[in-house]
Amino acid sequence: MAMSDGETTVSELKVIIKEFCDERDWEQFHNSKDLAIGIVTEGSELLELFRFKDEAQVREMMSGDKRSEVEDELSDAFYFILRFAQMNGIDLSSALERKIRKNSEKYPVEKARGDNRKYDEY
């Protein structure tokens, strides 16, 4: 099964995750709390790969042999995000669209462009 971002929908990914979990009878372990813990745990494992690396080391890591480890940890976090959304009936595309609208109000272009401060620091 060869997939790519340009050809696979979020809905299709949720089905793949559901089938994978159903085959293993994992639904009993996938409550909201444990899936949220999984998101954070896998995000932390991704972050750990970058700890104590300077910008040059990060560039090297992202273009070298360590890239596959980064992809694995990112995919693990994405798996838990998809599973959380699938188990809780969350439409990720509409949730993201709604959040971007909110952030557009918090971070108007005329204030936020080129500025990394938080919205309440303007």
Side-chain angles (χ1 to χ4, degrees):
M1 148 179 46
M3 297 185 294
S4 72
D5 286 352
E7 299 173 356
T8 310
T9 67
V10 173
S11 185
E12 290 170 330
L13 293 173
K14 286 180 180 179
V15 168
I16 291 166
I17 295 293
K18 181 174 179 1
E19 289 173 353
F20 178 85
C21 293
D22 285 351
E23 289 172 350
R24 289 155 182 80
D25 191 27
W26 284 354
E27 188 166 323
Q28 60 187 316
F29 308 116
H30 288 175
N31 60 65
S32 296
K33 174 192 66 88
D34 288 323
L35 292 170
I37 290 169
I39 292 168
V40 172
T41 302
E42 296 303 337
S44 295
E45 290 177 12
L46 174 64
L47 184 59
E48 186 176 18
L49 296 174
F50 292 91
R51 186 172 37 189
F52 305 123
K53 304 278 191 297
D54 62 29
E55 189 57 38
Q57 291 170 312
V58 168
R59 276 194 306 275
E60 180 182 329
M61 186 170 69
M62 293 307 298
S63 62
D65 296 339
K66 291 278 189 186
R67 183 181 177 95
S68 65
E69 289 181 49
V70 171
E71 290 176 354
D72 285 350
E73 296 305 338
L74 185 62
S75 295
D76 286 344
F78 189 41
Y79 161 88
F80 277 101
I81 290 167
L82 287 167
R83 182 64 169 165
F84 187 99
Q86 180 263 312
M87 291 291 294
N88 290 287
I90 296 171
D91 184 305
L92 286 169
S93 296
S94 63
L96 179 61
E97 180 183 37
R98 186 176 60 253
K99 183 61 176 171
I100 288 174
R101 264 196 319 272
K102 286 180 180 179
N103 284 347
S104 292
E105 292 174 14
K106 288 182 182 178
Y107 298 97
V109 173
E110 58 276 1
K111 289 184 179 179
R113 185 173 181 82
D115 191 332
N116 66 353
R117 291 178 294 170
K118 192 172 176 185
Y119 66 90
D120 61 357
E121 296 175 331
Y122 297 135

